Amino acid sequence: MSSAQRLLAAYIEEHRREGDADPLAFLDRASPDDRDELAALIDAYLARAPRREFDEAKYRDSASEQTVDALQRAITGSSGIWPVLLPRLRERAGLKRRELVRGLAEALGVGSKTDKVERYYHEMEQGMLPARGVSDRVLEALASLVGSTARGLREAGQRLAAGVEWEGAADHAFARMANAEAHAYSAPAPRPAEEQEAWDDVDELFRGGS
Amino acid sequence: MSFRPRTDHELSKLTDEKLIAYVREASRAGDVAASKHALAHLVFGYRAIVRARVALRTPREHVEEVTQEALERAYGAAFAGSSEGEFRAWLFTIAKRTVADWHRRRKRRPKETRLPSEHVDSEDVWGEEPASAGETGALELHMVVQQVMSQLNDTHRRVVELHVFDALSAADVCARIDGMSEGNVAQIASRFRKRLRVALGEGNGGSAG
C-alpha cells in the first residue's frame, strides 16, 4: 500500500468516526511527492461522502448554527439573501457595522442622521426591510463601501422573494410577506412609537423605492 | 393539509431535496422552529465536507471565509429556487466556483500577504501559500480523478470505488464482485494510482512527481 493510500485510509477512518477530519493535517504528513495524489484522493472521497448525521451537541454554537440563523432570517424575512450576504461583504471589507453605517450616512449626505441610517441598515442585515423600498442611491453607496455592485445587491435582495412567489403565491404566510412588501413600497408601514417622526430624507432613501 | 413536524430520525432519512421542501413547508405553515431545525440538518450535514474540500484549494487562513461564502451562495440559491439539478451537486459546484472567484479576487489585489517561504526583503513577489502544491491543479482535483476513473471499465471502476474511496479491504471487495481476486484488487488500485499521478503531473506541469 502506498503512503498516499495509507494516509487516505487513515483520513477516511477519522472522517467516519468523527464526522469531520482536517485534510491539511494529513497532507502535512505526506511527502512532497505524494501530496497532490493524496489531495486528489481525499477530495474524491469527500465528493462521495454521505451527508453528515445531525448532532445537536456539535451543532450548538458552531459555525453551522450561525449560517442557519442567517439563512432562516433570509427565508422568513423580506430582504432576500441580504441577511447572509451583507454581513459577509462587510466583514470582507474589514468594516465594523458602526464604521460602515457612518460611511453610508456620509455618502448619502445624511451624516447628521447616522442613528436612523443605522436602524435601517440593521433591518437590512436582519431581513426586516423590504428590498423594493431601498433606493438605488443607498445600494450604490453601500456597494462602493463593501466592494460589490448596486445591481448585485438589488438582485440579492429580491431573489428569495421571487423564489417564494414562484413557489406558491396563494400561500397565506408568504402572501402576508408580499403584501407587507408592497405596502412598504407604496405607502410606508407605521414604525414603532419611538420612530414615529416625520417622514424625512432617510425614510425616503430606505423605504421610498428607487 | 396540516403540517406535521418531524423527528430528528425522520429528518435524517429525508433526501436533500425533501429536506429543502420540508423547510419551505414548515415556513409556509409558520412553524419557524421546525423550519430552522430542518435547515440545521441540511447545513450541519454538509458544512464539514464543503470546508474540507475548500481547504484543499484555498490558503489555510481563508478557508473559513470561503466556506461560509460558498454555503451562503448555494443554500441561498436553493431556497430562492434558482439552483440547478440535485442540491448536493449544486452545492459542490458553487463551492468550486466560490474558490475560483476567491482566487480571481486575490489576483486583482496581489499585494496582500507575502508567501511565508519567501525572503522577507523581496519586494517583487507577493501572494499567499496555497494549501495544495499546484494551485490550478488543486482547483481541478475532482476533474482529474473523474477523468482517470472514466478510463476504467465498469468492474475496475467499482473496484477503485470500493477499495480506494470506501476503504474496504481487498477481501471485502472480492466478496462483492464475482470472480475478483485479492491480487487483482491490489493491481487495479495500483494502476489507478499510477494513472492518477501521471494525470496530476500533467495538470501541474509535473509537480506531482
Side-chain angles (χ1 to χ4, degrees):
Chain A
M1 195 185 258
S2 75
S3 154
Q5 182 65 38
R6 258 198 310 277
L7 285 167
L8 173 67
Y11 179 84
I12 293 173
E13 190 192 339
E14 184 174 321
H15 190 265
R16 286 178 178 164
R17 192 180 61 241
E18 303 294 331
D20 191 11
D22 177 11
L24 302 185
F26 288 81
L27 289 182
D28 286 345
R29 286 155 58 185
S31 69
D33 278 357
D34 287 336
R35 210 173 142 84
D36 282 2
E37 182 190 351
L38 180 61
L41 292 172
I42 288 176
D43 189 63
Y45 160 74
L46 289 168
R48 292 163 171 78
R51 192 176 80 208
R52 187 182 186 186
E53 195 83 16
F54 185 68
D55 183 325
E56 186 79 42
K58 285 182 179 164
Y59 170 72
R60 287 284 154 235
D61 301 321
S62 68
S64 290
E65 190 174 23
Q66 291 170 27
T67 307
V68 167
D69 284 342
L71 282 168
Q72 184 69 17
R73 284 197 296 275
I75 290 168
T76 56
S78 43
S79 310
I81 60 165
W82 284 353
V84 289
L85 180 70
L86 294 181
R88 174 165 54 77
L89 291 178
R90 178 166 56 79
E91 277 171 32
R92 200 170 75 193
L95 292 169
K96 291 195 167 70
R97 192 157 76 183
R98 188 73 195 164
E99 294 167 342
L100 182 139
V101 166
R102 202 177 303 126
L104 185 58
E106 281 166 15
L108 293 169
V110 290
S112 62
K113 296 174 182 173
T114 303
D115 287 349
K116 193 164 185 177
V117 171
E118 183 163 28
R119 284 204 298 275
Y120 275 125
Y121 180 75
H122 174 73
E123 289 181 14
M124 289 171 79
E125 281 202 357
Q126 294 299 310
M128 291 151 53
L129 190 66
R132 280 194 289 174
V134 181
S135 69
D136 289 342
R137 270 189 68 203
V138 169
L139 296 185
E140 280 157 14
L142 186 55
S144 73
L145 286 165
V146 298
S148 182
T149 64
R151 189 179 166 195
L153 293 180
R154 173 74 68 201
E155 283 175 5
Q158 294 173 343
R159 218 186 296 160
L160 212 53
V164 166
E165 281 162 18
W166 180 82
E167 268 295 296
D171 175 81
H172 65 96
F174 287 137
R176 271 206 310 274
M177 187 174 88
N179 286 340
E181 199 168 328
H183 179 65
Y185 184 58
S186 54
R191 313 295 289 177
E194 66 271 20
E195 294 179 34
Q196 296 266 345
E197 53 198 48
W199 178 266
D200 65 8
D201 43 356
V202 180
D203 296 308
E204 190 63 34
L205 284 164
F206 285 87
R207 294 162 69 206
S210 56
Chain B
M1 206 168 75
S2 63
F3 171 75
R4 179 182 71 82
R6 297 190 188 224
T7 63
D8 273 333
H9 179 71
E10 288 174 321
L11 292 174
S12 69
K13 300 291 172 206
L14 293 180
T15 63
D16 300 337
E17 282 66 33
K18 285 186 175 165
L19 253 184
I20 290 169
Y22 175 85
V23 170
R24 286 180 169 142
E25 192 188 346
S27 295
R28 277 198 289 267
D31 194 334
V32 175
S35 161
K36 196 170 176 181
H37 194 63
L39 193 54
H41 270 256
L42 200 58
V43 172
F44 183 82
Y46 282 115
R47 193 180 206 288
I49 295 175
V50 170
R51 190 184 192 287
R53 298 194 73 190
V54 166
L56 291 167
R57 298 162 164 85
T58 314
R60 290 168 203 260
E61 62 271 32
H62 294 285
V63 169
E64 194 55 43
E65 162 203 342
V66 176
T67 301
Q68 190 63 19
E69 182 177 343
L71 292 170
E72 289 167 5
R73 284 170 66 171
Y75 284 85
F79 285 101
S82 57
S83 60
E84 293 164 15
E86 280 189 4
F87 175 75
R88 182 190 174 90
W90 168 258
L91 175 61
F92 290 159
T93 298
I94 294 302
K96 209 166 92 174
R97 275 186 208 162
T98 307
V99 171
D101 289 347
W102 184 88
H103 282 287
R104 266 196 294 274
R105 283 203 302 269
R106 189 185 66 156
K107 276 177 189 157
R108 283 205 297 266
R109 45 164 212 271
K111 288 195 173 184
E112 197 173 64
T113 311
R114 290 166 195 254
L115 276 165
S117 51
E118 285 172 0
H119 295 293
V120 287
D121 294 325
S122 172
E123 287 295 322
D124 55 349
V125 189
W126 297 78
E128 291 158 324
E129 202 87 73
S132 186
E135 186 179 285
T136 308
L139 285 171
E140 303 303 333
L141 285 176
H142 189 54
M143 204 181 289
V144 174
V145 174
Q146 290 292 90
Q147 187 193 339
V148 175
M149 292 284 277
S150 72
Q151 293 163 1
L152 305 176
N153 66 37
D154 289 348
T155 307
H156 288 195
R157 197 178 309 126
R158 184 85 183 117
V159 167
V160 170
E161 279 170 356
L162 292 172
H163 187 54
V164 178
F165 297 120
D166 286 348
L168 290 184
S169 68
D172 285 339
V173 174
C174 293
R176 284 172 165 79
I177 301 177
D178 288 341
M180 187 61 60
S181 71
E182 291 187 28
N184 279 345
V185 170
Q187 210 171 40
I188 292 165
S190 170
R191 273 205 299 266
F192 164 73
R193 286 195 302 271
K194 268 184 200 155
R195 286 182 186 181
L196 181 61
R197 287 172 83 92
V198 169
L200 287 166
E202 287 166 357
N204 289 339
S207 72

